[in-house]
Every structure is written in C-alpha cells, then in structure tokens.
Amino acid sequence: MPHVVVIGAGITGVTTAYALLNRGYTVTVIERQRYAGMETSFANGGQLSASNAEVWNSWSTVFKGVRWMLRRDAPLLMNPAPTWHKYSWLGEFIFNIKNYRDNTVETTRLAIAARKHLFAIAEREDIDFDHERRGILHFYRDKQSFQNALKVNAILVEGGLDRRPVTAAEVKSIEPTLHGDFFGGFYTPSDSTGDIHKFVCGLAKACERRGVRFVFDATVRQIARDEIFRIQYARDEPSGGARVDEIDADSVVICAGSASRNLAAMLGDRLNVYPVKGYSITVHLDDERSQKAAPWVSLLDDGAKVVTSRLGAARFRVAGTAEFNGMNRDIRQDRIKPLVDWTRALFPSVDTNRVVPWAGLRPMMPNMMPRVGRGRMPGVFYNTGHGHLGWTLSAATAETVAECLAGEFGPSITEWLRLAT
C-alpha cells in the first residue's frame, strides 16, 4: 500500500489523514507541536459558516484597511514595516479583486459540501465537539451597511445558500440575549458552530485507533526526492539538543498552515500564503446568570468584524480582527480589549471575570481560496491556505486532495478492492 506522509496535524492535516485512511493508504502525520490542533486549530471563532464565504478581495476592504491603519484597535491592522512577502501578497490580493464574485460563489458551494462530510465524520467516529446547529445571525447597525450586505447575500444565494434577510425585531427574536439597536440582519439556519480543538483531537484519536501513525514534537528540516521521498525531521531531546530522524514516503501532503510556504519552497513550489493573525477570547460562564445571559445562536457583527460561538453551557467564544504582522504570535492587550468591551456592551449580564485570550495565524492565499491539489513534483500535494475558513472548508478539501492523490496512484485501495471482488 502506498505510504503517504501528511505534514501538519491541524484541522486540514487530520481531516486529510482521515480521508486517505478511508481509501486504504498507509498514513503518517508529522506535527511540530506535542499534540494535534495546537496552533490555528486551537481556539478560533468556532463557526462552520457558509454564510461567511465572501472573499475579502474588494476595494472596500482595501479602503477600510487604509483608513484603519492608525487605529490600534481597528478590526484590520497592518504593520507598515516593508517586507517583500507582505507586499507581494497584497499586490496579488488586489489583482484578484476581479475574481471576487466567482471566488465567493465557489467558496459558498465548497462550504455547503463540506458540512455533509464533517457531520458524517463526527457521527461515524462519535466525536463530541459541542456542536450547536442553531444557525448564524449576521446583524447590521445602519441602513447603508444592510443595503451593501444585500448585494453580498445575492452572491451567497447564487452559491446555493439558504440565507434570508431579517428585520430588527426578528434579530432580537432569533437571539433574545443580544442588546443594542440594529437596523436588520441575515439569518442562515443551516450554519452551525463547534469546538474545533475538540473535533481535531477526537478525529486524531480515531485515526490513531485505525492505524495512522502520529509523530509529534517533530520539525521538518528537509524534504528530498529520489525514487521515494525522504523527510528529515528533528525532535528536541530532554537533555538538550535535537535528534534527527528520517521517514520514507511514496507521497507527501503539505497541510502545515502558515509554515506551508517554507515547506513548498523545499519542493520547488511557490506558495504565497501569508499568516494573518486573529484573536479570540473564551469567556468562562461560571455562574447561572452568565449562562442565561450569553447567546446560543452564533453571531457575526459585521461592523466590528466579531463572531461568536457558544461552546457548551459554560463557555462563550468571541473572536475577530485581522493583523498583518508576519509570523508574530504575540497576544496584544490592545487587540484583546475590544473583544472584551464588545462582550460587555452587547451582553452586559455576562461576567467577564475569567477570560482566556488567544491568538492564531490564519494561513491566507492572496485570492482567499485554499491551495488544494498537486504540486510541481510528482507525489507532492497541498491542502492549505484556507484563511478564516479552515474549520468550515476542511472536510471537503480533504476529500478533494485525497481524490487527487488517488488519481496519481490509480484507483484508491478501497475502490480497487471493490472492483476486484
């Protein structure tokens, strides 16, 4: 059986390993952290949101970004220090404004397809991930914002999404705990939320039970190809220093988030993925009053660019912002404070005494579309660059890359066995 090495054990890496496992391949996953799902898949906004499939490539995004550059608490922030990577990415981002509509429609369709795969995986493997199927509510404070959103909604509906406009009164009836004055909103009943970290860990354990090998605490140093691939990786020793090992493979799938760019360079590919930092807070609802005052319906405040998820009875996730600052993972208080203030303003009875901040690097391609498929070298594949929709799209892109790989090796093992009998 062909041996496939998947690099990265976040949401895309683990779903890819699972898709390959189901096709009969021997799979090894290499991950630089000690456990699965410890980087961008650790504490994101939690939304499985086809309703958030609009790509960011638009002139309005560019103008807002310029206007926000001097505000440290702005939803979008860019470190102006010049780097070739950042400005080449921004140049390609602007070039792809012409593809805004087509890419939004395609992303919507992919997100809808991904739901079925992810829900089926969770049921098949009995994964508890605080899944809430109560829909996602987008709300707007003024008429102009709502009118602009109507145009976006038409594109999402073209992509097959059931998403309807709602009045200010309906906004309050859909989520009664929400405080504030709103012009209106949009409600997507088929969207849902869940704890990405719990899902990744649950699926990784299921993969391991069925024979996938995980190599943790392992940083890939080199990937070379002769007749087969040789992946060299280093593991830190307790006594100091590092032990270097190698593993052979028939094929390699890069699912390493923002680190995918450097790995692609080892394989002769240019992968212009940029790490766009996002922040979240997890509000622990330690008393009954807070639990009753926190929303169960997932929300998206379009003006503040903030999303929410209810993760079981005792946790409330609030996430947002986009920061262009390279591989910097620092958790900045001036970026966390707006999320706390937003929570206090819209849910004043929620106690924010125990709030856990987090920051992660979203791997974004300049066209806002994931890089899924073959590399230049035979046997090399990519499933990365999902940006803010990794959780939403992963189950579908994993199936896509597994089918691409099957096409290179011929029919999948499971299909071959079916035909043989």
Side-chain angles (χ1 to χ4, degrees):
M1 293 183 181
H3 177 211
V4 183
V5 167
V6 176
I7 301 178
I11 185 64
T12 56
V14 174
T15 51
T16 297
Y18 185 77
L20 292 169
L21 175 70
N22 286 338
R23 287 163 173 77
Y25 298 110
T26 300
V27 183
T28 300
V29 179
I30 300 177
E31 166 59 42
R32 64 184 178 184
Q33 299 295 338
R34 182 161 292 188
Y35 309 103
M38 293 303 293
E39 294 197 19
T40 309
S41 299
F42 185 74
N44 74 349
Q47 291 188 331
L48 292 159
S49 52
S51 60
N52 203 18
E54 180 194 11
V55 299
W56 296 1
N57 306 83
S58 68
W59 285 113
S60 65
T61 301
V62 174
F63 295 146
K64 286 177 184 176
V66 173
R67 191 167 68 247
W68 285 335
M69 281 189 69
L70 299 178
R71 277 182 50 194
R72 293 177 65 84
D73 63 345
L76 189 152
L77 187 68
M78 183 171 65
N79 183 340
T83 69
W84 171 250
H85 183 200
K86 181 172 24 183
Y87 284 104
S88 69
W89 189 95
L90 290 170
E92 289 184 42
F93 176 91
I94 291 171
F95 178 80
N96 275 283
I97 289 175
K98 64 181 182 178
N99 301 318
Y100 162 81
R101 186 182 189 89
D102 289 345
N103 286 349
T104 296
V105 170
E106 184 178 344
T107 304
T108 306
R109 290 172 177 161
L110 187 61
I112 293 170
R115 287 181 188 146
K116 299 175 183 177
H117 292 296
L118 189 135
F119 296 166
I121 292 169
E123 183 177 357
R124 189 182 308 124
E125 301 301 339
D126 193 25
I127 301 172
D128 176 14
F129 62 106
D130 294 323
H131 192 201
E132 292 294 334
R133 301 179 73 163
R134 303 183 191 229
I136 293 180
L137 174 65
H138 291 215
F139 58 86
Y140 301 82
R141 291 177 171 81
D142 60 82
K143 182 178 181 179
Q144 184 60 52
S145 298
F146 181 81
Q147 294 291 341
N148 292 338
L150 278 171
K151 300 172 186 176
V152 177
N153 191 63
I155 302 173
L156 299 176
V157 171
E158 181 183 336
L161 188 63
D162 175 19
R163 186 172 185 257
R164 59 182 174 86
V166 293
T167 65
E170 288 174 313
V171 167
K172 292 295 184 69
S173 67
I174 292 169
E175 184 43 70
T177 65
L178 182 63
H179 285 65
D181 295 322
F182 309 107
F183 180 84
F186 293 87
Y187 181 57
T188 312
S190 55
D191 276 347
S192 61
T193 59
D195 187 327
I196 185 173
H197 182 63
K198 289 179 72 172
F199 182 88
V200 171
C201 290
L203 186 56
K205 289 176 182 175
C207 288
E208 206 165 19
R209 284 195 304 269
R210 293 178 51 191
V212 173
R213 179 191 174 204
F214 284 83
V215 181
F216 291 112
D217 282 327
T219 301
V220 173
R221 288 186 170 181
Q222 185 179 17
I223 307 173
R225 188 178 190 276
D226 191 1
E227 293 183 359
I228 58 173
F229 288 93
R230 286 188 173 84
I231 299 104
Q232 183 188 94
Y233 60 90
R235 306 177 79 173
D236 291 338
E237 294 283 0
S239 57
R243 185 178 80 247
V244 178
D245 289 313
E246 280 190 355
I247 188 170
D248 294 342
D250 299 293
S251 186
V252 178
V253 186
I254 307 298
C255 304
S258 298
S260 299
R261 179 171 176 260
N262 291 336
L263 294 168
M266 297 180 189
L267 296 162
D269 289 313
R270 179 181 180 272
L271 189 67
N272 198 14
V273 63
Y274 192 87
V276 179
K277 183 161 52 170
Y279 291 84
S280 78
I281 57 173
T282 302
V283 183
H284 288 263
L285 309 172
D286 294 328
D287 57 83
E288 185 178 354
R289 182 168 180 259
S290 293
Q291 291 176 10
K292 289 182 178 179
W296 280 98
V297 172
S298 179
L299 304 171
L300 193 152
D301 181 344
D302 190 73
K305 304 301 180 187
V306 168
V307 304
T308 76
S309 296
R310 185 68 177 267
L311 304 177
R315 291 184 301 151
F316 178 43
R317 179 73 49 76
V318 181
T321 78
E323 183 178 314
F324 289 75
N325 197 18
M327 295 297 285
N328 181 290
R329 289 181 170 84
D330 294 345
I331 299 175
R332 293 172 42 176
Q333 178 59 27
D334 59 346
R335 306 296 281 161
I336 293 297
K337 186 177 182 297
L339 299 177
V340 178
D341 291 345
W342 184 92
T343 304
R344 290 172 174 168
L346 276 69
F347 304 97
S349 295
V350 169
D351 190 337
T352 54
N353 180 57
R354 192 157 72 99
V355 169
V356 179
W358 173 85
L361 303 178
R362 310 179 187 102
M364 286 191 174
M365 296 292 291
N367 64 353
M368 303 297 291
M369 303 295 289
R371 173 71 164 87
V372 183
R374 291 179 172 85
R376 181 179 300 176
M377 189 184 299
V380 174
F381 297 86
Y382 295 93
N383 185 17
T384 189
H386 296 65
H388 65 297
L389 292 176
W391 182 211
T392 298
L393 303 179
S394 58
T397 60
E399 291 294 319
T400 300
V401 78
E403 284 303 308
C404 285
L405 194 143
E408 184 152 314
F409 281 121
S412 65
I413 302 298
T414 48
E415 180 67 8
W416 182 85
L417 288 172
R418 186 184 70 79
L419 293 172
T421 55

